[in-house]
mmCIF file of all heavy atoms in Angstrom:
data_model
loop_
_atom_site.group_PDB
_atom_site.id
_atom_site.type_symbol
_atom_site.label_atom_id
_atom_site.label_comp_id
_atom_site.label_asym_id
_atom_site.label_seq_id
_atom_site.Cartn_x
_atom_site.Cartn_y
_atom_site.Cartn_z
ATOM 1 N N TYR A 129 -22.156 14.196 33.058
ATOM 2 C CA TYR A 129 -20.842 13.888 32.430
ATOM 3 C C TYR A 129 -19.816 14.997 32.625
ATOM 4 O O TYR A 129 -18.665 14.702 33.005
ATOM 5 C CB TYR A 129 -21.086 13.610 30.928
ATOM 6 C CG TYR A 129 -19.819 13.160 30.206
ATOM 7 C CD1 TYR A 129 -19.428 11.850 30.260
ATOM 8 C CD2 TYR A 129 -19.068 14.100 29.459
ATOM 9 C CE1 TYR A 129 -18.251 11.437 29.597
ATOM 10 C CE2 TYR A 129 -17.919 13.670 28.818
ATOM 11 C CZ TYR A 129 -17.504 12.341 28.887
ATOM 12 O OH TYR A 129 -16.369 11.964 28.223
ATOM 13 N N PRO A 130 -20.151 16.277 32.334
ATOM 14 C CA PRO A 130 -19.121 17.329 32.504
ATOM 15 C C PRO A 130 -18.579 17.465 33.905
ATOM 16 O O PRO A 130 -17.409 17.843 34.106
ATOM 17 C CB PRO A 130 -19.892 18.608 32.093
ATOM 18 C CG PRO A 130 -21.024 18.148 31.282
ATOM 19 C CD PRO A 130 -21.439 16.844 31.871
ATOM 20 N N THR A 131 -19.414 17.135 34.938
ATOM 21 C CA THR A 131 -18.958 17.275 36.299
ATOM 22 C C THR A 131 -18.202 16.058 36.779
ATOM 23 O O THR A 131 -17.408 16.148 37.717
ATOM 24 C CB THR A 131 -20.172 17.541 37.262
ATOM 25 O OG1 THR A 131 -21.105 16.483 37.132
ATOM 26 C CG2 THR A 131 -20.841 18.859 36.924
ATOM 27 N N ILE A 132 -18.440 14.893 36.136
ATOM 28 C CA ILE A 132 -17.756 13.699 36.575
ATOM 29 C C ILE A 132 -16.416 13.533 35.823
ATOM 30 O O ILE A 132 -15.376 13.309 36.412
ATOM 31 C CB ILE A 132 -18.652 12.453 36.297
ATOM 32 C CG1 ILE A 132 -19.871 12.454 37.227
ATOM 33 C CG2 ILE A 132 -17.859 11.144 36.549
ATOM 34 C CD1 ILE A 132 -20.895 11.336 36.996
ATOM 35 N N MET A 133 -16.491 13.632 34.513
ATOM 36 C CA MET A 133 -15.267 13.431 33.670
ATOM 37 C C MET A 133 -14.562 14.793 33.480
ATOM 38 O O MET A 133 -14.482 15.327 32.345
ATOM 39 C CB MET A 133 -15.633 12.811 32.379
ATOM 40 C CG MET A 133 -16.200 11.393 32.478
ATOM 41 S SD MET A 133 -15.149 10.238 33.393
ATOM 42 C CE MET A 133 -13.795 10.146 32.246
ATOM 43 N N THR A 134 -14.036 15.354 34.544
ATOM 44 C CA THR A 134 -13.303 16.599 34.478
ATOM 45 C C THR A 134 -11.865 16.314 34.046
ATOM 46 O O THR A 134 -11.412 15.173 33.989
ATOM 47 C CB THR A 134 -13.292 17.295 35.845
ATOM 48 O OG1 THR A 134 -12.639 16.426 36.793
ATOM 49 C CG2 THR A 134 -14.717 17.572 36.345
ATOM 50 N N LYS A 135 -11.123 17.437 33.804
ATOM 51 C CA LYS A 135 -9.710 17.264 33.406
ATOM 52 C C LYS A 135 -8.912 16.568 34.516
ATOM 53 O O LYS A 135 -8.009 15.763 34.257
ATOM 54 C CB LYS A 135 -9.092 18.604 33.112
ATOM 55 C CG LYS A 135 -9.562 19.239 31.828
ATOM 56 C CD LYS A 135 -8.846 20.529 31.534
ATOM 57 C CE LYS A 135 -9.273 21.184 30.208
ATOM 58 N NZ LYS A 135 -8.611 22.425 29.939
ATOM 59 N N THR A 136 -9.237 16.880 35.745
ATOM 60 C CA THR A 136 -8.530 16.255 36.925
ATOM 61 C C THR A 136 -8.844 14.766 36.924
ATOM 62 O O THR A 136 -7.891 13.960 37.122
ATOM 63 C CB THR A 136 -9.017 16.891 38.214
ATOM 64 O OG1 THR A 136 -8.728 18.293 38.164
ATOM 65 C CG2 THR A 136 -8.269 16.285 39.411
ATOM 66 N N THR A 137 -10.065 14.378 36.754
ATOM 67 C CA THR A 137 -10.479 12.969 36.762
ATOM 68 C C THR A 137 -9.756 12.194 35.662
ATOM 69 O O THR A 137 -9.233 11.122 35.842
ATOM 70 C CB THR A 137 -11.990 12.812 36.592
ATOM 71 O OG1 THR A 137 -12.667 13.558 37.609
ATOM 72 C CG2 THR A 137 -12.387 11.364 36.680
ATOM 73 N N VAL A 138 -9.747 12.773 34.498
ATOM 74 C CA VAL A 138 -9.063 12.177 33.323
ATOM 75 C C VAL A 138 -7.586 11.991 33.573
ATOM 76 O O VAL A 138 -7.001 10.909 33.321
ATOM 77 C CB VAL A 138 -9.308 13.021 32.041
ATOM 78 C CG1 VAL A 138 -8.405 12.513 30.905
ATOM 79 C CG2 VAL A 138 -10.771 13.024 31.622
ATOM 80 N N SER A 139 -6.964 12.998 34.131
ATOM 81 C CA SER A 139 -5.537 12.939 34.465
ATOM 82 C C SER A 139 -5.256 11.830 35.519
ATOM 83 O O SER A 139 -4.243 11.096 35.317
ATOM 84 C CB SER A 139 -5.033 14.275 35.047
ATOM 85 O OG SER A 139 -5.256 15.323 34.093
ATOM 86 N N ILE A 140 -6.086 11.735 36.481
ATOM 87 C CA ILE A 140 -5.916 10.699 37.546
ATOM 88 C C ILE A 140 -6.020 9.330 36.923
ATOM 89 O O ILE A 140 -5.218 8.405 37.174
ATOM 90 C CB ILE A 140 -6.958 10.877 38.692
ATOM 91 C CG1 ILE A 140 -6.654 12.132 39.462
ATOM 92 C CG2 ILE A 140 -6.959 9.657 39.603
ATOM 93 C CD1 ILE A 140 -7.665 12.515 40.508
ATOM 94 N N PHE A 141 -7.058 9.119 36.074
ATOM 95 C CA PHE A 141 -7.238 7.850 35.387
ATOM 96 C C PHE A 141 -6.028 7.439 34.546
ATOM 97 O O PHE A 141 -5.600 6.307 34.553
ATOM 98 C CB PHE A 141 -8.506 7.862 34.509
ATOM 99 C CG PHE A 141 -9.823 7.683 35.258
ATOM 100 C CD1 PHE A 141 -10.967 8.285 34.810
ATOM 101 C CD2 PHE A 141 -9.841 6.926 36.402
ATOM 102 C CE1 PHE A 141 -12.134 8.120 35.543
ATOM 103 C CE2 PHE A 141 -11.066 6.787 37.107
ATOM 104 C CZ PHE A 141 -12.217 7.369 36.702
ATOM 105 N N LEU A 142 -5.491 8.456 33.826
ATOM 106 C CA LEU A 142 -4.360 8.164 32.975
ATOM 107 C C LEU A 142 -3.151 7.752 33.770
ATOM 108 O O LEU A 142 -2.393 6.815 33.443
ATOM 109 C CB LEU A 142 -4.030 9.412 32.114
ATOM 110 C CG LEU A 142 -4.978 9.720 30.961
ATOM 111 C CD1 LEU A 142 -4.671 11.057 30.318
ATOM 112 C CD2 LEU A 142 -5.017 8.595 29.929
ATOM 113 N N VAL A 143 -2.885 8.497 34.829
ATOM 114 C CA VAL A 143 -1.696 8.185 35.701
ATOM 115 C C VAL A 143 -1.833 6.820 36.352
ATOM 116 O O VAL A 143 -0.881 6.027 36.334
ATOM 117 C CB VAL A 143 -1.599 9.232 36.816
ATOM 118 C CG1 VAL A 143 -0.515 8.840 37.849
ATOM 119 C CG2 VAL A 143 -1.165 10.596 36.210
ATOM 120 N N LEU A 144 -3.062 6.481 36.845
ATOM 121 C CA LEU A 144 -3.245 5.181 37.440
ATOM 122 C C LEU A 144 -3.092 4.055 36.419
ATOM 123 O O LEU A 144 -2.534 2.995 36.740
ATOM 124 C CB LEU A 144 -4.637 5.119 38.117
ATOM 125 C CG LEU A 144 -4.863 5.975 39.336
ATOM 126 C CD1 LEU A 144 -6.288 5.872 39.827
ATOM 127 C CD2 LEU A 144 -3.884 5.496 40.473
ATOM 128 N N ALA A 145 -3.614 4.268 35.230
ATOM 129 C CA ALA A 145 -3.492 3.245 34.188
ATOM 130 C C ALA A 145 -2.056 2.969 33.813
ATOM 131 O O ALA A 145 -1.720 1.816 33.421
ATOM 132 C CB ALA A 145 -4.267 3.727 32.918
ATOM 133 N N TRP A 146 -1.192 3.952 33.891
ATOM 134 C CA TRP A 146 0.221 3.754 33.597
ATOM 135 C C TRP A 146 1.014 3.245 34.788
ATOM 136 O O TRP A 146 1.903 2.369 34.599
ATOM 137 C CB TRP A 146 0.843 5.098 33.082
ATOM 138 C CG TRP A 146 0.398 5.452 31.733
ATOM 139 C CD1 TRP A 146 -0.689 6.181 31.418
ATOM 140 C CD2 TRP A 146 1.028 5.142 30.492
ATOM 141 N NE1 TRP A 146 -0.784 6.375 30.069
ATOM 142 C CE2 TRP A 146 0.259 5.784 29.458
ATOM 143 C CE3 TRP A 146 2.194 4.496 30.149
ATOM 144 C CZ2 TRP A 146 0.598 5.680 28.087
ATOM 145 C CZ3 TRP A 146 2.540 4.373 28.804
ATOM 146 C CH2 TRP A 146 1.736 4.949 27.825
ATOM 147 N N VAL A 147 0.731 3.709 35.929
ATOM 148 C CA VAL A 147 1.563 3.451 37.123
ATOM 149 C C VAL A 147 1.246 2.115 37.787
ATOM 150 O O VAL A 147 2.129 1.352 38.129
ATOM 151 C CB VAL A 147 1.416 4.556 38.178
ATOM 152 C CG1 VAL A 147 2.138 4.209 39.468
ATOM 153 C CG2 VAL A 147 2.004 5.886 37.612
ATOM 154 N N LEU A 148 -0.071 1.783 37.964
ATOM 155 C CA LEU A 148 -0.416 0.559 38.674
ATOM 156 C C LEU A 148 0.107 -0.730 38.044
ATOM 157 O O LEU A 148 0.722 -1.526 38.765
ATOM 158 C CB LEU A 148 -2.014 0.478 38.763
ATOM 159 C CG LEU A 148 -2.651 1.433 39.773
ATOM 160 C CD1 LEU A 148 -4.167 1.260 39.757
ATOM 161 C CD2 LEU A 148 -2.107 1.222 41.170
#
Side-chain angles (χ1 to χ4, degrees):
Y129 185 81
T131 57
I132 294 175
M133 297 304 293
T134 62
K135 287 184 179 180
T136 302
T137 305
V138 172
S139 299
I140 291 171
F141 280 150
L142 288 174
V143 170
L144 289 176
W146 287 87
V147 173
L148 286 180

